[in-house]
Amino acid sequence: MQLMKTSFLLGRVDSIDLSTAGVLVASLLLQNVYGDYTEAWSELLCWSMVLVAVEVQSWVHAGGGYTVLDPSATTWHSTVIAGGIALGSFCRSVEDVRWIVPLVTPILFAFRLYGVKEFPTQGQQSQSSWFTSNTLWLQAAIGLTSVLALGSVGTPQTFAIAGLFLFGQLITYVPLINASDQALNLSAPQTISFLVRAVARRAIPAVLLSACGKVLSTSLPPKLAFGDICLAGVLKATNWVLLFNITQRAPWDIATTTSTFAFSSSINTYALLSFPRALARLMTSLTALTQTILSVSKPTKTRHLLYFFALCPLIALLLQTDAVPRDGGKWRGGYKQSQHPIELLIQRSSESFNRTLNTQSATLEAAVAEYHRRYQRSPPPGFDKWFEYAKAHESPIIDEFDIITNKLQPFWNVSPAQIRENLHQAYDAADHRLLKVEIQDRDFHVVDNNWMVAEVKELLRDFVHDLPNMQVLFNSLDEPRVVIDAFEHSDDNASAVGFYDLSHREIWETVTQPCTNTLRRSKEDTIHTYGLPFVENARDAKDLCQHPEYGKLHGFFMSPTTFLVTNSTVPILSQAAPSTFGDVLYPSPFYTESYDMGKYKEGEDPEWEQKKTSLYWAGSTTGSYDFDDSWHSYHRQRFITVTRQLEGSTTTFLTETKPGVWETYRSREILSRLYDAKFTAIIQCAEAQCKEETDYFQPSNREEAGAAYKSRFIFDIDGNSFSGRFYTLLGSRSVVLKQTIFEEWHDERLFPWVHYVPVSISMDELPETMRFLALTENGSKRARQIAENGREWRSKALRKEDASIFLYRLLLEYARLLDDSRVA
């Protein structure tokens, strides 16, 4: 009974209203499967399906007229229409230019008003008040204001592609108006089908060339999402079939008004907008819906039902939280700020760097006083000789060694005897992966012969005779080893030292256990970043306790290649570790070895002006071990996915709408020409997953190390642990963009936005960072200055001598921990 009632109600709805509703629904759904390769290949599928549908219909109606149209006119019309369809598809696959569609509507309106002499169906509109020269000016005003509401300030390339797309739309719909009118002038029932068949047959090869052009224009292997392509193809085919039906009683303008309505009603179009702009887009959507409904030549009894679609943009606006007032009624967009956030971050960090540099102690007395002020205790024995050594080797840093104190602090509640016992147990544990060295009687004794130990010995050569006796354990793995349990801070809670093998497992809960008893640092958001995660404070950005989302964004937390961890208070020296770990940090031998090996070659590094304006990275899939489908979330895989646009997601950019006023806009194009990033090897994965990643990423051949220096921007990203090539890149004439969750010994002397460009773990701000630094005059100047700063500072503060100075002071502090006479 209910089915019969529904059928009865549908039977009373006019067919053109049903078709219009179908076009609106299909257009709305299309907004959710919009993507570069999806756009190109779904268009091919669409016209293939349309052709099949028409051929089937022709077969069913065999005997009908097929030659009633003027063949020469049909050939001309269908060829031009097919070319316009292909051109429009190519433009949409390269850049999201849907915002220009509202401008097509008044142009088509004018063509029908002045450019067509005989059009029985389309021309019937001239008898209504809607189709007049006065209305044309209204249509033009609506088109222009809609473009302003939907569009944004972009690059010259964006506007060039938008112009091509506009031309493609016109050469699609203007001939369709003429061809449709000629067909509707004839009495044969198959004339419209004949037109559709002619268009489809020519559109298929044209769109195929367009799709191939998209592949060639990117110089990257296409990533085809077959599910999205099939869905988009079906929706587009449905759209065109319904439009050919509707335009027997309505003008072709309805194609552009429904497209405008769907685009301006999508929830994505309201993302990160100011309320006035969000309201403007809402009005654009409602206006386009009204234009669509009024376009029907003869009012129907059920036409008012189409107004229910007005709920779509209203719901989209309400669901988009970024368009809701925050912070006492202030709107997210349209925030007035004199400079781009990056410029303000550079300025603030530069001031901090200069202040730090200018306040370093110049005398031993000043250094001792500063030590007392910072740590409320006296410096360790031998501090005077350390100071003398640091000054003799022209160290620019004398006081900034908080990282040593912070990492050793948990051990002050443990007796020297217990620490020595923990060291002994750790070294005796099965599969400990530790390297032991002893400093005894003013000499360095090698227990475990290893290249890393040899590097450490070289660093200590000049002052080993001034060091107390001690035993030191060095971590031989890239990954850190110690997560001190909250209750393991005294002798009373001491337990046997052992290592747990958590390799290839999710370790987030393990590594964040210390957060339960750690107060989070307050974040100072003094710079408005418009919702983009620019790194404002590098220390806070690495604090795991402040970022629970990191557990699903970094391969180390999701599936470390090797992770042998203890929760005991054993001081193990490691090269790098996240914020919650208890490893004691020291300068990595990978860095100091690079000085001896000469990995950076001056002759391979061009001057700034001769470099390409691009971001370079090439490497393998280290950083995790892949044995399931979670590899899409690993940090290196996400980086390549983003920079090669393998998923076609939208990106947020900033634009200065007027002096001092910045607003966000979203684009599916991340300015792909700015990125030269690729995998050269798929490793550390099970066989099935290796094949999946190989098919997905299409790895390239290995490249020479010097290839990176040909680009102005070089990316540095974590591998299994820290990146060992950081110093080599920092010493080049390129600017380094660095993403990491690992703390290292140099964190207090390297300043983000001064010596390198920090990138958040999410990388959501990366496209805007590259747009500003690479494509704007101010940004390019800033980028070059950062490159020069990093190169100069690396030669002053990251020398082999600086690593020795740090290790010297670290071992003095460490020796005091093992001294039975020290006070806890």
Side-chain angles (χ1 to χ4, degrees):
M1 180 65 70
Q2 187 65 34
L3 182 62
M4 292 177 61
K5 184 183 292 186
T6 301
S7 301
F8 174 74
L9 291 174
L10 289 175
R12 301 191 62 181
V13 178
D14 193 277
S15 61
I16 195 171
D17 295 329
L18 277 176
S19 295
T20 303
V23 170
L24 291 171
V25 171
S27 299
L28 286 167
L29 292 176
L30 264 174
Q31 308 307 310
N32 298 318
V33 287
Y34 195 79
D36 46 9
Y37 288 112
T38 298
E39 169 59 40
W41 295 102
S42 65
E43 196 74 29
L44 179 63
L45 176 62
C46 159
W47 286 103
S48 300
M49 295 176 67
V50 170
L51 179 60
V52 170
V54 173
E55 294 290 358
V56 170
Q57 184 187 38
S58 300
W59 180 78
V60 172
H61 296 90
Y66 292 102
T67 59
V68 288
L69 288 175
D70 177 5
S72 62
T74 305
T75 301
W76 180 86
H77 283 136
S78 57
T79 301
V80 174
I81 293 167
I85 290 170
L87 179 59
S89 175
F90 177 77
C91 291
R92 287 194 303 269
S93 70
V94 173
E95 180 71 62
D96 191 351
V97 289
R98 292 172 290 177
W99 52 271
I100 200 71
V101 170
L103 207 56
V104 181
T105 304
I107 297 175
L108 295 182
F109 195 92
F111 178 77
R112 290 191 296 109
L113 185 61
Y114 298 114
V116 183
K117 295 181 179 179
E118 295 183 14
F119 36 87
T121 299
Q122 309 258 5
Q124 288 174 5
Q125 298 283 1
S126 61
Q127 305 303 316
S128 72
S129 59
W130 179 244
F131 192 74
T132 65
S133 59
N134 290 332
T135 309
L136 174 60
W137 291 107
L138 176 60
Q139 290 275 40
I142 291 173
L144 287 172
T145 54
S146 297
V147 167
L148 292 175
L150 296 176
S152 57
V153 177
T155 64
Q157 174 185 307
T158 300
F159 289 111
I161 294 173
L164 281 176
F165 178 70
L166 180 62
F167 176 72
Q169 292 282 280
L170 293 178
I171 65 174
T172 297
Y173 292 117
V174 168
L176 272 173
I177 292 174
N178 277 324
S180 296
D181 289 337
Q182 185 186 19
L184 291 169
N185 252 328
L186 303 171
S187 57
Q190 298 298 313
T191 52
I192 294 297
S193 296
F194 188 89
L195 172 64
V196 177
R197 177 203 285 174
V199 171
R201 284 180 172 178
R202 289 163 176 80
I204 290 172
V207 171
L208 178 60
L209 286 175
S210 169
C212 293
K214 166 61 181 175
V215 174
L216 294 175
S217 68
T218 58
S219 299
L220 293 171
K223 172 63 181 75
L224 303 181
F226 292 104
D228 287 351
I229 290 173
C230 292
L231 177 58
V234 170
L235 291 173
K236 287 181 178 182
T238 302
N239 225 337
W240 277 108
V241 169
L242 292 176
L243 282 172
F244 277 112
N245 177 54
I246 294 170
T247 51
Q248 297 180 55
R249 293 170 57 185
W252 273 99
D253 310 18
I254 201 167
T256 58
T257 57
T258 52
S259 178
T260 300
F261 169 77
F263 177 54
S264 55
S265 299
S266 169
I267 187 172
N268 291 333
T269 198
Y270 292 97
L272 294 170
L273 287 180
S274 62
F275 180 69
R277 291 204 69 187
L279 186 60
R281 294 196 177 188
L282 174 64
M283 296 306 298
T284 296
S285 178
L286 297 178
T287 302
L289 179 62
T290 302
Q291 288 176 296
T292 299
I293 295 172
L294 293 178
S295 292
V296 180
S297 60
K298 182 179 179 180
T300 62
K301 294 181 180 180
T302 56
R303 188 170 69 175
H304 62 279
L305 295 177
L306 294 174
Y307 282 107
F308 279 105
F309 281 93
L311 293 174
C312 295
L314 289 170
I315 293 172
L317 177 63
L318 293 175
L319 289 178
Q320 180 48 254
T321 56
D322 286 321
V324 177
R326 299 183 181 189
D327 303 326
K330 295 180 181 178
W331 300 98
R332 287 286 299 268
Y335 191 93
K336 190 165 185 178
Q337 189 165 266
S338 60
Q339 295 172 287
H340 190 281
I342 289 179
E343 292 188 282
L344 296 175
L345 289 166
I346 291 173
Q347 180 180 329
R348 186 173 71 179
S349 191
S350 297
E351 292 172 354
S352 179
F353 172 63
N354 290 329
R355 186 167 54 250
T356 298
L357 207 57
N358 293 331
T359 56
Q360 295 302 297
S361 298
T363 65
L364 176 61
E365 293 74 20
V368 171
E370 178 63 16
Y371 191 103
H372 274 287
R373 186 191 70 81
R374 291 183 181 227
Y375 313 125
Q376 287 77 53
R377 57 174 172 256
S378 297
F383 185 81
D384 54 342
K385 290 185 178 181
W386 170 85
F387 179 85
E388 180 182 346
Y389 182 84
K391 296 299 286 186
H393 289 81
E394 300 179 338
S395 173
I397 300 298
I398 297 296
D399 302 317
E400 308 307 314
F401 293 87
D402 292 351
I403 195 166
I404 294 177
T405 301
N406 293 338
K407 289 300 182 181
L408 292 179
Q409 189 59 43
F411 302 100
W412 278 84
N413 292 332
V414 183
S415 70
Q418 185 62 56
I419 293 176
R420 289 193 295 270
E421 176 61 24
N422 289 350
L423 289 169
H424 176 74
Q425 291 185 20
Y427 189 70
D428 283 348
D431 197 25
H432 54 71
R433 305 287 185 94
L434 299 172
L435 304 172
K436 183 165 73 172
V437 302
E438 294 179 349
I439 297 173
Q440 197 74 25
D441 300 327
R442 300 161 61 92
D443 199 6
F444 188 95
H445 297 275
V446 176
V447 178
D448 294 295
N449 197 9
N450 178 278
W451 75 270
M452 298 175 70
V453 172
E455 281 293 318
V456 171
K457 181 178 181 179
E458 178 65 21
L459 291 177
L460 303 184
R461 182 184 57 184
D462 292 341
F463 52 84
V464 66
H465 55 272
D466 289 325
L467 293 175
N469 293 341
M470 69 185 85
Q471 183 183 97
V472 188
L473 295 183
F474 289 89
N475 176 17
S476 68
L477 299 175
D478 292 338
E479 297 88 347
R481 308 295 299 278
V482 184
V483 179
I484 299 176
D485 188 274
F487 301 101
E488 278 284 341
H489 280 208
S490 67
D491 291 353
D492 295 336
N493 295 306
S495 58
V497 177
F499 292 95
Y500 305 94
D501 188 352
L502 301 182
S503 306
H504 306 177
R505 305 182 192 179
E506 287 193 11
I507 61 170
W508 182 253
E509 288 190 13
T510 299
V511 303
T512 54
Q513 283 182 1
C515 292
T516 57
N517 289 288
T518 302
L519 291 176
R520 294 184 176 184
R521 292 185 290 271
S522 60
K523 298 176 69 176
E524 280 187 89
D525 291 327
T526 57
I527 294 177
H528 191 74
T529 61
Y530 305 88
L532 291 172
F534 294 111
V535 176
E536 298 187 62
N537 184 304
R539 186 180 181 186
D540 283 353
K542 295 180 183 180
D543 187 349
L544 304 191
C545 301
Q546 293 190 37
H547 296 282
E549 71 275 13
Y550 287 1
K552 297 297 182 181
L553 294 177
H554 200 284
F556 176 67
F557 302 128
M558 301 178 70
S559 180
T561 303
T562 306
F563 191 52
L564 301 177
V565 63
T566 181
N567 62 349
S568 300
T569 48
V570 51
I572 296 174
L573 272 62
S574 293
Q575 303 164 87
S579 62
T580 56
F581 280 70
D583 299 69
V584 179
L585 303 182
Y586 79 104
S588 169
F590 281 99
Y591 292 144
T592 55
E593 184 230 11
S594 67
Y595 287 94
D596 295 331
M597 298 297 288
K599 293 181 180 178
Y600 171 75
K601 297 179 181 179
E602 188 89 18
E604 296 179 343
D605 190 7
E607 296 294 334
W608 179 267
E609 296 83 359
Q610 299 171 334
K611 294 174 181 282
K612 295 183 294 185
T613 305
S614 62
L615 176 67
Y616 179 90
W617 185 85
S620 61
T621 54
T622 58
S624 56
Y625 183 85
D626 177 25
F627 61 90
D628 56 22
D629 294 330
S630 59
W631 55 266
H632 290 279
S633 298
Y634 298 164
H635 53 292
R636 288 197 168 192
Q637 284 84 343
R638 285 191 301 109
F639 171 67
I640 296 298
T641 298
V642 168
T643 54
R644 291 180 58 177
Q645 291 187 278
L646 297 181
E647 293 185 351
S649 57
T650 58
T651 299
T652 300
F653 292 95
L654 292 179
T655 181
E656 192 173 17
T657 55
K658 55 185 177 180
V661 178
W662 298 84
E663 290 193 8
T664 57
Y665 69 95
R666 296 184 71 85
S667 174
R668 188 173 43 79
E669 170 59 53
I670 68 164
L671 307 173
S672 55
R673 68 186 185 280
L674 294 179
Y675 302 91
D676 180 11
K678 77 278 288 184
F679 279 129
T680 57
I682 305 297
I683 59 174
Q684 296 183 183
C685 44
E687 182 177 355
Q689 282 66 42
C690 280
K691 185 179 184 306
E692 283 182 15
E693 293 195 55
T694 299
D695 293 341
Y696 187 85
F697 293 112
Q698 297 291 310
S700 305
N701 295 327
R702 292 182 64 87
E703 298 187 357
E704 296 294 329
Y709 306 137
K710 296 177 182 178
S711 296
R712 291 183 175 181
F713 304 88
I714 306 177
F715 204 74
D716 192 50
I717 188 170
D718 293 336
N720 292 332
S721 179
F722 70 103
S723 169
R725 59 177 115 173
F726 183 35
Y727 287 12
T728 302
L729 301 179
L730 202 62
S732 73
R733 296 185 179 92
S734 300
V735 59
V736 180
L737 280 72
K738 184 170 181 63
Q739 182 204 63
T740 183
I741 51 95
F742 291 95
E743 293 181 340
E744 296 185 64
W745 77 277
H746 56 231
D747 284 357
E748 292 171 299
R749 62 183 63 203
L750 275 178
F751 282 69
W753 302 111
V754 176
H755 304 122
Y756 67 97
V757 174
V759 177
S760 73
I761 302 304
S762 72
M763 293 180 284
D764 289 342
E765 85 288 6
L766 177 60
E768 170 58 18
T769 299
M770 282 300 299
R771 184 203 67 82
F772 177 74
L773 294 178
L775 299 180
T776 68
E777 184 178 356
N778 285 345
S780 184
K781 290 179 181 177
R782 298 288 193 175
R784 183 171 186 173
Q785 187 61 56
I786 293 172
E788 292 174 355
N789 291 344
R791 179 178 170 87
E792 179 184 7
W793 189 240
R794 188 258 200 186
S795 67
K796 290 182 177 180
L798 298 176
R799 304 163 300 162
K800 200 164 188 176
E801 294 90 334
D802 298 299
S804 292
I805 292 167
F806 184 94
L807 191 55
Y808 190 171
R809 180 156 170 170
L810 168 61
L811 292 179
L812 290 179
E813 297 281 7
Y814 176 85
R816 177 163 59 174
L817 277 177
L818 300 177
D819 187 351
D820 290 320
S821 63
R822 59 104 166 163
V823 179

